Amino acid sequence: MEYKLRKAEPRDVSDILRLVKELAKYEEMEDQVTLTEKELLEDGFGDTPFYHCIIAELQGKNSSDDGKVVGFVMYYFTYDPWVGKQLYLEEFYVMDEYRGMGIGSGLLRHLSDLAMNTRCTGMMFVVAENNEPSIQFYKLRGAEDLSQEEGWRLFRFSKNSLVKMGTPAEE
Amino acid sequence: MHFKVRAATKEDCKEISRMIVELAVYEKMPDQVKISHEELERDGFCQNPFFECLVAEVPEENKSKDGFTVVGYAFYFYTYSTWKGPTLFLEDLYVMPEFRGNGFGKGLLCKVAKVGKEKQCVRLQLSVLDWNTPSRDFYAAKCAQDLTDSEGWHLIRFDGQNLDNLANEAPKD
């Protein structure tokens, strides 16, 4: 199966949201996706995008397959005050029926090239500890589990806590 | 003690760089700091900055024993959740030891939250070392959830030669 990788364009937001929801459904958390196409469009294709996307699109001889969006990566740039720019991989997904064809590896390689070309010294992401296949996949390729090796724990403040902290009792 | 939290300027990068090293020493990883104030100036004050920074400043009469008036910082950037939208990541939060216990850390954290709120951010995330109980307690007291504990998330990284190898491997097109 032939496919091509390209930068996402505004017209891709409905496919991106579809794939986000498919992945969330697989993780049994589909109802937690509250983002809309309009927000994805404003946040990804405005003056200062919050994210970037690479799309995997089929190039089928069969016209019903041609141009079908079957996978994506969403990433953004972060900053480590010790070493500088990093590439953060937020989402990485290939539709179930199109796996095993090298699309996932192709996306990962494309991203790694991009990281090197944009002066990033590392690529980071999170993985759930019970997702053994993914952890093995990454470790085989030289990734370090920083939670295990250095003891880093991921913390989150939800919107309510954020709002409470952001409104001072007195100035 | 009176203090002010304000947005960092390019001129603050030397002080921020000094404190980045102090924090790395506290985290027992001082040899891992590879960039200096010059990279911070370039990357934080360009057209599309890669990070933002707030500093805690004291008046001249309260300066540190070594003569510094910029005595704390919060270093953060914008990230994105495919489920919820724009989010903030707090990369570093640090107050010099001699100024702790005066609400500087809380002041910096709350100002970051306020910035996030103004930019419609729905979450603030950060990472903390497992042995760093004072910090874990500080964030828990403000209602942060430890997602490594509650949901099993682990932070993963590819860097250096491993990143390079990844870029070179896999089937050719």
Side-chain angles (χ1 to χ4, degrees):
Chain A
M1 176 92 46
E2 298 248 332
Y3 69 94
K4 89 169 179 206
L5 300 182
R6 59 170 176 81
K7 260 175 85 163
E9 291 162 27
R11 64 185 166 97
D12 294 316
V13 292
S14 63
D15 278 314
I16 294 169
L17 191 58
R18 169 179 62 82
L19 295 175
V20 163
K21 285 182 173 170
E22 273 185 36
L23 177 52
K25 190 170 179 179
Y26 166 75
E27 291 169 342
E28 292 169 17
M29 296 199 257
E30 197 183 359
D31 55 314
Q32 295 221 33
V33 181
T34 55
L35 209 54
T36 63
E37 279 180 30
K38 180 167 180 280
E39 283 158 341
L40 268 178
L41 192 64
E42 281 169 12
D43 297 336
F45 300 93
D47 287 327
T48 35
F50 280 94
Y51 69 86
H52 308 281
C53 253
I54 307 288
I55 300 285
E57 188 178 75
L58 290 184
Q59 295 198 287
K61 297 175 179 58
N62 182 339
S63 64
S64 71
D65 272 349
D66 196 41
K68 185 173 180 186
V69 173
V70 299
F72 80 115
V73 288
M74 177 188 277
Y75 67 94
Y76 37 79
F77 295 100
T78 58
Y79 206 83
D80 181 329
W82 295 357
V83 294
K85 280 177 73 176
Q86 302 283 293
L87 190 144
Y88 192 91
L89 175 56
E90 175 62 35
E91 206 97 309
F92 176 13
Y93 178 72
V94 175
M95 288 171 71
D96 211 355
E97 56 265 49
Y98 299 99
R99 290 188 199 156
M101 298 169 190
I103 296 178
S105 300
L107 280 165
L108 203 58
R109 185 175 63 131
H110 185 102
L111 260 191
S112 307
D113 276 341
L114 200 148
M116 306 299 290
N117 293 336
T118 52
R119 217 183 2 97
C120 293
T121 55
M123 177 159 73
M124 298 181 67
F125 46 94
V126 290
V127 180
E129 70 192 352
N130 59 13
N131 189 349
E132 269 306 314
S134 292
I135 292 180
Q136 283 317 307
F137 174 85
Y138 295 122
K139 275 191 163 166
L140 268 169
R141 284 158 178 75
E144 296 171 87
D145 179 335
L146 299 180
S147 292
Q148 205 168 60
E149 292 174 35
E150 294 179 11
W152 291 101
R153 311 186 68 80
L154 183 64
F155 274 63
R156 175 192 295 161
F157 283 102
S158 67
K159 187 158 188 192
N160 285 340
S161 311
L162 208 61
V163 163
K164 277 191 206 138
M165 281 197 298
T167 308
E170 73 245 339
E171 272 290 352
Chain B
M1 186 185 296
H2 186 67
F3 70 100
K4 171 166 101 164
V5 173
R6 60 167 176 80
T9 62
K10 207 167 173 178
E11 291 64 42
D12 291 318
C13 289
K14 287 199 174 81
E15 298 308 309
I16 296 166
S17 192
R18 167 185 59 83
M19 291 189 284
I20 285 170
V21 172
E22 287 175 20
L23 178 52
V25 167
Y26 172 79
E27 288 171 343
K28 305 173 190 171
M29 297 190 257
D31 52 320
Q32 295 215 34
V33 182
K34 309 286 186 210
I35 62 170
S36 72
H37 66 93
E38 285 163 356
E39 283 87 353
L40 295 179
E41 285 162 13
R42 176 193 64 196
D43 298 333
F45 298 89
C46 50
Q47 177 98 357
N48 290 311
F50 291 95
F51 65 86
E52 291 182 3
C53 199
L54 299 175
V55 293
E57 190 173 38
V58 293
E60 190 61 34
E61 59 266 26
N62 291 130
K63 65 183 184 220
S64 75
K65 56 184 180 344
D66 294 322
F68 301 117
T69 53
V70 172
V71 299
Y73 75 103
F75 190 104
Y76 62 94
F77 39 77
Y78 298 97
T79 55
Y80 203 75
S81 158
T82 46
W83 293 0
K84 307 287 184 193
T87 50
L88 266 176
F89 193 89
L90 178 60
E91 175 66 29
D92 273 5
L93 176 64
Y94 175 76
V95 175
M96 290 170 67
E98 66 193 272
F99 293 93
R100 290 183 198 159
N102 291 304
F104 286 37
K106 182 182 164 191
L108 283 161
L109 181 63
C110 291
K111 200 68 181 270
V112 172
K114 192 166 182 220
V115 166
K117 199 175 139 192
E118 283 159 9
K119 293 255 167 84
Q120 319 292 327
C121 291
V122 295
R123 278 175 180 161
L124 170 64
Q125 301 197 157
L126 50 112
S127 56
V128 182
L129 286 161
D130 54 10
W131 55 258
N132 190 351
T133 320
S135 292
R136 287 176 72 176
D137 289 347
F138 172 81
Y139 294 118
K142 296 232 143 305
C143 303
Q145 293 168 268
D146 180 340
L147 298 181
T148 299
D149 230 358
S150 58
E151 295 179 15
W153 291 102
H154 280 221
L155 185 62
I156 312 274
R157 179 179 64 201
F158 279 101
D159 65 1
Q161 192 59 53
N162 295 315
L163 184 62
D164 210 14
N165 292 342
L166 197 63
N168 291 329
E169 73 133 49
K172 303 291 177 225
D173 297 319

